[in-house]
């Protein structure tokens, strides 16, 4: 453990504190204070509960989880121990960024996100933005991949004031190699269309695909050390789990 | 879905024969067939009709084919680009520019490719849409920037890049230079230079106002048209993104607002060299101010 132990323990203490808070007591806090002492999971769960109150949304959500569970798509996701394929992708700022360049600095945390429009991704990106100093202190370089094009990666990056690379996985190329891409089932697609999300324009590809949110911890030699992947887009790893995975590589 | 499934499907689209496609992919036919079935299961229906003598794409198969081809090419391009960072091969990038479309907006993407592939040569070809489309189809151009409203064959991919507005261009000291912005009323008395290679903003103005404009044909590159404006031959309406010479003045054209969208086009399913593939992806991702 060659990094500053005090700062590394801070987020763990936040989660620990949570055990002593009741939800009612949290209501009087500002959003920033609330975010600082709640886990990502509790925020994702709250968001999911509010969305599921809509019957049509809930049906579409259940359809995605059931479809992806049934067709065994997780079997296709790159497993721990496999090399992550080398790639170079355009960044939000219009640079070409290669995995190899990131790995030359140490382990890489590579996350697949659904896009700037997705509130679950926004919660996770906000948590990662906050945890970035700790991720970097643990030696990690964070790369966030989104299938969106047309300036939207920069929109996503600016929205979060993110200091990590946001890369455009144009036409789902890297997602396909990682096995995380699926075709959106009909009900969920209807919900997206109804809310005005034109994926053919946003992606520059009319396949109506998305990645499952997956996070890979990649060793400097390119081998996948750990992965967090779930067919349920509301289930994401805590930043603390990512930092712990990086710590295990030291 | 898996990369191999998509590769098998794209090969099958080309051969329309399970035995030949499996052989081309170096897998046994049962494994090949299982992979296609799994892809069909995930995409929600049959991709092919399997008849004794004839294998044909279903409607779903035809609809998914270009998208899955694009995904497969994207996976290959992302790998090939990473490899070319290591090898730094000599590379060329051949870009077509449609009528009155400048290279300024895409210059940062060209510069990024030159940074990553130092031995890059760049070639620009400025011409009408038909000639540029023909050059792409015969593989003498990698891609082209074209006005959105030109007719494109279905074989071309198209991605909207940016909008551009017209500016009025006139000689320094012209009465219009006193204005902040120019309207249709301000230039109805002027001679407007119009040519095939200036973006046809004069045509848009005529359509929008219904007015009869005093046009003078002036065919040729925009740079020569600007020279003619400087010599007092008339006023030009050109894209705000084109560079202009010091002897002329530009003012925003505000009423009606004359604008057009510029799209990037490539041949669908065509494998581009890493320099061109990287350039096209940078152009598709960038935010244009």
């Amino acid at each position: 453990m060659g990094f500053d132990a005090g700062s590394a323990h801070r987020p763990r203490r936040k989660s620990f504190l949570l055990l002593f808070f009741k939800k009612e007591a949290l209501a009087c806090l500002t959003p920033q204070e609330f975010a600082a002492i709640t886990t990502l999971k509790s925020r994702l769960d709250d968001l999911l509960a509010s969305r599921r109150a809509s019957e049509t949304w809930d049906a579409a959500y259940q359809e995605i989880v059931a479809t992806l569970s049934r067709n065994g798509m997780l079997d296709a996701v790159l497993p721990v121990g496999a090399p992550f394929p080398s790639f170079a992708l355009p960044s939000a700022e219009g640079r070409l960024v290669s995995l190899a360049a990131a790995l030359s600095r140490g382990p890489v945390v590579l996350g697949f996100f659904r896009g700037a429009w997705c509130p679950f991704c926004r919660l996770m990106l906000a948590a990662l933005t906050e945890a970035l100093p700790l991720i970097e202190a643990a030696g990690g370089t964070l790369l966030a991949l989104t299938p969106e094009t047309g300036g939207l990666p920069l929109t996503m990056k600016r929205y979060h004031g993110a200091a990590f690379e946001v890369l455009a996985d144009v036409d789902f190329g890297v997602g396909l190699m990682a096995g995380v891409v699926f075709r959106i089932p009909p009900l969920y697609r209807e919900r997206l269309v109804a809310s005005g999300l034109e994926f053919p324009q946003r992606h520059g590809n009319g396949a109506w695909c998305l990645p499952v949110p997956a996070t890979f911890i990649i060793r400097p030699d390119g081998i996948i050390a750990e992965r967090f992947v779930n067919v349920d887009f509301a289930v994401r790893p805590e930043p603390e789990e990512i930092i712990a995975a990086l710590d295990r590589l030291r | 879905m898996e990369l191999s499934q998509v590769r098998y499907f794209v090969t099958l689209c080309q051969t329309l024969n399970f035995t030949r496609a499996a052989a081309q992919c170096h897998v046994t036919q049962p494994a090949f067939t299982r992979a296609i079935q799994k892809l069909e299961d995930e995409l929600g229906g049959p991709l092919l009709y399997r008849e004794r003598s004839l294998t044909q794409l279903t409607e779903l198969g035809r609809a998914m084919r270009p998208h899955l081809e694009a995904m497969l090419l994207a996976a290959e391009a992302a790998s090939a680009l990473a490899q070319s960072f290591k090898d730094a091969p000599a590379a060329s990038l051949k870009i077509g520019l449609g009528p009155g479309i400048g290279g300024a907006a895409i210059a940062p993407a060209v510069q990024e490719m030159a940074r990553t592939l130092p031995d890059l040569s760049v070639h620009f070809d400025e011409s009408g849409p038909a000639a540029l489309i023909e050059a792409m189809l015969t593989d003498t151009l990698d891609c082209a920037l074209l006005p959105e409203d030109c007719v494109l064959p279905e074989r071309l991919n198209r991605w909207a890049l940016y909008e551009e507005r017209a500016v009025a261009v006139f000689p320094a000291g012209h009465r219009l230079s006193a204005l902040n912005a120019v309207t249709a009323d301000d230039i109805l008395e002027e001679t407007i230079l119009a040519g095939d290679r200036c973006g046809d903003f004069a045509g848009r103005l005529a359509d929008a106002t219904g007015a009869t404009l005093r046009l003078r044909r002036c065919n040729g590159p925009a740079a020569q048209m600007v020279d003619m404006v400087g010599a007092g031959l008339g006023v030009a309406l050109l894209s705000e993104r084109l560079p202009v010479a010091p002897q002329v003045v530009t003012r925003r054209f505000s009423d009606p607002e004359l604008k057009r969208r510029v799209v990037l086009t490539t041949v669908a399913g065509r494998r581009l060299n890493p320099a061109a593939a990287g350039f096209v992806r940078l152009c598709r991702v960038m935010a244009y101010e």
Side-chain angles (χ1 to χ4, degrees), chain B residues 14-270:
Chain B
Q14 290 155 359
T15 62
L16 292 178
N17 180 306
F18 275 78
T19 312
R20 273 212 304 280
Q24 275 187 28
C25 295
H26 308 293
V27 284
T28 65
Q29 201 178 326
F32 185 91
T33 305
R34 269 199 307 279
I36 295 290
Q37 280 166 350
K38 200 140 189 284
L39 186 63
E40 289 180 319
D41 188 35
E42 174 160 352
L43 297 183
L47 296 166
L48 297 117
Y49 299 114
R50 298 161 172 84
E51 285 157 25
R52 205 167 297 165
S53 57
L54 199 63
T55 301
Q56 273 194 318
L57 289 177
T58 61
E59 197 176 323
L60 178 66
R62 280 202 305 278
M64 289 306 294
R65 178 183 180 175
H67 310 314
L68 293 176
E69 273 176 350
M71 290 163 70
L72 183 62
L73 287 174
E76 291 175 4
S79 304
L81 258 181
Q83 188 59 40
S84 67
F85 280 17
K86 286 187 205 156
D87 306 342
S92 79
L93 178 54
K94 290 170 286 185
I95 306 165
L97 295 174
I101 296 175
I106 54 159
V110 176
Q111 196 231 342
E112 177 62 8
M113 286 319 305
R115 185 186 70 82
T116 50
L117 299 172
D119 207 358
L120 177 76
S121 64
V122 190
H123 168 86
F124 287 102
D125 192 355
E126 196 191 334
S127 194
L132 295 178
I133 289 167
E134 179 62 20
M136 280 191 285
L137 291 174
T138 54
D139 210 10
T140 50
L141 276 182
D142 297 315
C143 58
L145 274 71
L146 293 170
E148 183 182 46
D149 56 8
C150 73
V151 181
L152 295 175
E154 212 170 298
R155 284 183 62 200
L156 294 193
N157 291 317
R158 65 168 79 189
W159 301 284
L161 292 191
Y162 54 82
E163 269 190 345
E164 55 185 16
R165 292 172 303 179
V167 289
V169 187
F170 39 84
H174 192 279
R175 64 174 179 92
L176 293 176
S177 47
L179 304 171
N180 286 325
V182 173
T183 68
D185 285 345
D186 296 326
I187 66 159
L188 283 181
E189 299 302 308
E190 301 287 337
T191 297
I192 300 173
L193 303 184
D196 297 336
R197 292 164 72 177
C198 64
D200 197 29
F201 286 109
R204 282 164 214 270
L205 178 61
D207 290 346
T209 59
T212 308
L213 304 174
R214 280 169 48 187
L215 297 180
R216 187 196 300 281
R217 296 302 297 173
C218 181
N219 287 330
Q224 272 72 63
M225 184 181 281
V226 172
D227 288 340
M228 293 307 107
V229 169
L233 212 63
V235 172
L237 299 175
L238 293 172
S239 160
E240 61 188 339
R241 293 176 188 269
L242 287 179
V244 291
Q247 71 270 27
V248 299
V249 173
T250 64
R251 288 290 181 268
R252 191 162 54 82
F253 203 93
S254 66
D255 185 22
E257 194 169 59
L258 302 174
K259 55 184 176 185
R260 65 172 178 177
R261 195 180 285 277
V262 173
V263 298
L264 177 66
T265 59
T266 62
V267 178
R270 166 85 45 87

Side-chain angles (χ1 to χ4, degrees), chain A residues 74-90:
Chain A
L74 289 190
D75 299 342
V77 179
L78 289 177
V80 168
F84 198 96
S86 63
F87 67 82
L89 288 176

